[in-house]
Amino acid sequence: MFVRTDALAIEDSLVRLRHALHRQPELGLDLPRTQRAVLDALAGLPLEITTGKRLTSVTAVLRGGLPGPAVLLRGDMDALPVREDSAVPYASEVPGRMHACGHDLHTAGLVGAARLLAARRAELAGDVVFMFQPGEEGMGGARLMIEEGVLDAAGSRVVAAYALHVTSAVLPAGTAAVRPGPVLAASDEVSVRVVGAGGHGSSPHSAKDPVPAVCEMVTALQTMVTRTVDIFDPAVVTVGSLHAGSAGNVIPESAEFTATVRSFSDAAQARVRSAFERTVHGIAAAHGLTACVDYRENYPVTVNDPAEAAFALRTARGVLGATRVFEAPRPMAGSEDFSYVLREVPGAYVGLGACPSGSDPSAAPMNHSPQAVYDDSAVVDAAVLLAGLAAGRLREAAGKSAGEPSQERS
């Protein structure tokens, strides 16, 4: 239904939109300029548009010309609190903010998909919901949009949902990867405060020193992972910050550290949480101290439905070429709040290469880096791939309802 020339015809306008978004990055759930840019870009299309109440989201519904179910396409819109150091001519004009994760490309690509699908809506056997989402970077915007009804925006629950994510490294531009099952990790954030009694460094016996206890906790947590977690259902615990005291000869009253925990199943997530808390409290008790543990489960595991992943793999090969698309051998330990969507409906999350031409994907700055650069050509790949996923899924559903045999959807 869609060929690359359809997207190439609108490439210039999509790239201009991407550059405009990149120059004016916004953070979190409140993205008024970005929302306005999306609404302007969608103006004139035959869409039913609503905006969010608790966040500056945009939900647009395209009604197909033929009866059928609804599918959803997601594009996240928020940036990161990163000072850009990329030297691109369209670099961020907002100090300390940058589209370092490529969400400007996701947004422009989803606008492109809306334009491609709207141009052929008479052929669509069902409806398409376009989910323009703020607050992916740790704010849980997808969960809020679900609570505000995005999955039912077409009048009935969508039967499938798709999203993609560009990468500035690892994958060359124009390539894609998808896999069934877990594709991204659950992400938990933990803050620990260990409280003892301060004193002079010359007389540690008269104090309750939290510093050695915290040091013991950091190393014990690594051992805990190797002795608690199944190596075939892995988890990662990383302590990223540790703070205690203000002078070398003073025993502080308290010490603090924060950690991130990544896991790939609900069972592993629960097992690590229990073991983490047990380890910290046990070591604190052994030292005669108390520990306060603030354990926050942020995003769940992102899990691709096997049948939808197989469909996405076929579709991507048709769009990008069979030699440029592969099944990813393993999940990544990053996290994503599209996981909330995939907990409600079957779907697939696809990785899309956007490493600039001439750069070595194995050495290029990775997502979230101040030097991360994404190739503009990815906006065409994103638009036609998203459009192809929606149209193909509706076409397949129509074939199944008419009694035609499905392809590889067992």
Side-chain angles (χ1 to χ4, degrees), residues 71 73 162-163 311-313 315-316 350 384-394:
V71 297
L73 303 175
Y162 306 100
F311 164 72
L313 191 66
T315 301
V350 181
V384 72
L385 178 54
L386 288 169
L389 287 167
R393 184 65 175 83
L394 292 177

Side-chain angles (χ1 to χ4, degrees), residues 165 179 181-186 263-264 300-303 331-336 349:
H165 204 300
R179 73 182 308 275
V183 60
L184 291 169
S263 52
F264 296 93
V301 186
T302 303
V303 181
M332 296 180 64
S335 61
E336 163 65 66
Y349 185 84

